[in-house]
Amino acid sequence: MRAPFTREAPDVRRQALVAAAEAVLARQGVAAASVRTICAQAGVSAGLLRHYFEGVDDLIAAAYEAVDLRIDAALVAAVAGAGNDPRARLSAYLAASFAPPVLDPDLLAAWIGFWGLVKTKPRIAAIHAQSYAAYRARLETLLADCGAHDRRLAAIALTAMVDGLWLELCLDPSTFSPAEAVKALEKAAGAWLG
């Protein structure tokens, strides 16, 4: 059955296409991320994609940027909500990856699709490099505020731990709890803070 197509404002249509690309990646993976599948998910005609994007690769890059912005906003909000204590702000930043909206099985499926494209799509690789550099830079600042030495290496190590724990928790939530993931990160962060 074909999805009904509707007329919407240009911004709404563009955002619908971005959300549809993310949903298709999450549900069916990169192989299914075709113009037809994404446009059907968005409820727009296949020809409309070219009006807003240069093609599917451009749309997927926009979806990656949108997901990155959503995650970044959640992390920034967590830090802002932690008050002025530097250690509480660092803890909030680390813990935010193990709470909604970041800890989400649908986000995992989309994220795996984006990660899979890093080696083959230069624009995706650039978005990935930029987003991870920003994450590590913010983490380095939070570590510096706590008096950590060797902040660059600490940020790299903690980022890798967050990714690994987040991935494993999304794949099999019966292995450990979000609270246990945060506890492991807190112990590691404590070691870097000395």
Side-chain angles (χ1 to χ4, degrees), residues 79 86-87 89-90 93 133-148 150-152 154-155 158 193:
V79 171
R87 189 63 177 93
R89 293 167 63 81
L90 174 61
Y93 192 69
Y135 182 90
R136 286 189 310 270
R138 190 173 295 120
L139 189 50
E140 280 188 54
T141 299
L142 292 166
L143 287 161
D145 293 346
C146 291
D150 210 358
R151 294 180 299 272
R152 181 182 163 277
L158 291 171
L193 298 176

Side-chain angles (χ1 to χ4, degrees), residues 66-84:
V67 168
D68 180 55
L69 287 173
R70 201 166 60 242
I71 290 170
D72 192 56
L75 299 173
V76 167
V79 171
N84 294 324

Side-chain angles (χ1 to χ4, degrees), residues 46-129:
L48 196 61
L49 187 139
R50 281 261 188 220
H51 182 71
Y52 295 101
F53 300 95
E54 292 177 19
V56 172
D57 288 350
D58 188 35
L59 174 56
I60 290 173
Y64 192 9
E65 289 170 334
V67 168
D68 180 55
L69 287 173
R70 201 166 60 242
I71 290 170
D72 192 56
L75 299 173
V76 167
V79 171
N84 294 324
D85 178 62
R87 189 63 177 93
R89 293 167 63 81
L90 174 61
S91 292
Y93 192 69
L94 295 172
S97 292
F98 301 97
V102 182
L103 188 64
D104 175 2
D106 287 340
L107 179 58
L108 166 71
W111 207 256
I112 287 173
F114 298 134
W115 277 343
L117 295 171
V118 166
K119 292 295 184 189
T120 59
K121 304 288 183 188
R123 183 160 173 211
I124 297 293
I127 294 166
H128 178 80

